[in-house]
Amino acid sequence: IGIFITMNPGYAGRTELPDNLKALFRPVVMVVPNLAMICENMLMSEGFGKAKLLAKKMTVLYKLAKEQLSKQYHYDFGLRALKSVLVMAGGLKRASPEFDESTILMRALRDMNMPKFVYADVPLFRGLIGDLFPGLDCPRVRYPSFNDAVEAALREHGYQELEVQVDKVIQLYETMMTRHTTMIVGPTGGGKTVCLTTM
């Protein structure tokens, strides 16, 4: 019988194994996964022809975001976040095969990451995406019936119809459709309750 304990030291929210337990196990060193290769293979399996180039851009974007954006407890630029973006990009490619692959990946990166950023990091991330995907501009997707329902709910509750607030509700909706769990965090008066009650 073998007992294996997987440790991920330094990862947010994880604690170290106590020394008295460490002494009972033989350590095995593991290496950091090659994210570019994993991205390339996942993009190829999702049907992307320019997988190598797009994988490089995606891993560079996450590396730069990890280095340049503010350090927040809820930010994750690891393999789990990459995988969820790649799965969304594959779904977008199957839904709209006529679109350019770079545009599809840029949209997936933007739509999966923007909802989790604090206000100060949004322009920085937009700048990083603009540098890696020059000349591409993909407008936000509008869900006609859902957008109208959100605007009607805001009016019904007596709120002002701000485009930013409607967009935050849409981001919450998209996040809930693509992730298993969702947490809304932010300062007092930031619009968290408005998003929830509008949903």
Side-chain angles (χ1 to χ4, degrees):
I1 292 177
I3 298 174
F4 301 91
I5 298 176
T6 305
M7 297 297 295
N8 201 352
Y11 194 78
R14 305 286 167 85
T15 56
E16 287 286 327
L17 194 65
D19 288 332
N20 60 342
L21 283 177
K22 276 186 191 176
L24 300 173
F25 295 95
R26 183 176 46 186
V28 177
V29 178
M30 302 179 82
V31 296
V32 176
N34 185 338
L35 296 181
M37 190 179 293
I38 292 169
C39 285
E40 182 182 344
N41 284 308
M42 283 197 70
L43 285 168
M44 280 193 280
S45 70
E46 294 285 2
F48 284 80
K50 300 188 289 185
K52 191 171 192 74
L53 173 69
L54 295 175
K56 180 72 175 162
K57 285 185 176 192
M58 189 170 176
T59 51
V60 166
L61 175 70
Y62 270 47
K63 179 180 173 286
L64 291 172
K66 190 175 189 177
E67 292 169 357
Q68 295 181 15
L69 300 184
S70 66
K71 305 295 179 233
Q72 301 291 327
Y73 186 74
H74 64 280
Y75 283 5
D76 179 20
F77 298 109
L79 185 58
R80 186 177 293 121
L82 278 172
K83 186 181 181 308
S84 61
V85 170
L86 292 167
V87 169
M88 182 183 187
L92 292 171
K93 176 138 178 78
R94 285 188 295 280
S96 306
E98 70 279 0
F99 285 156
D100 178 55
E101 292 180 349
S102 296
T103 306
I104 291 171
L105 183 63
M106 185 193 80
R107 179 180 160 209
L109 283 164
R110 183 199 60 203
D111 291 353
M112 289 293 286
N113 287 295
M114 291 294 274
K116 68 182 172 187
F117 292 139
V118 296
Y119 183 76
D121 287 336
V122 170
L124 294 171
F125 188 76
R126 281 194 175 132
L128 291 174
I129 281 191
D131 291 344
L132 287 169
F133 297 95
L136 288 181
D137 183 36
C138 181
R140 293 245 339 125
V141 174
R142 189 175 196 286
Y143 307 93
S145 57
F146 186 70
N147 278 55
D148 294 342
V150 167
E151 291 165 4
L154 287 171
R155 281 192 303 271
E156 181 182 314
H157 287 99
Y159 297 122
Q160 291 181 6
E161 270 186 65
L162 301 174
E163 188 177 326
V164 175
Q165 190 66 49
V166 172
D167 195 44
K168 279 293 171 195
V169 176
I170 302 300
Q171 287 177 355
L172 176 61
Y173 170 74
E174 290 174 340
T175 302
M176 291 173 76
M177 297 305 290
T178 55
R179 298 189 188 275
H180 295 295
T181 58
T182 304
M183 182 182 296
I184 301 175
V185 295
T188 304
K192 301 180 297 292
T193 305
V194 173
C195 281
L196 278 175
T197 54
T198 307
M199 280 290 287

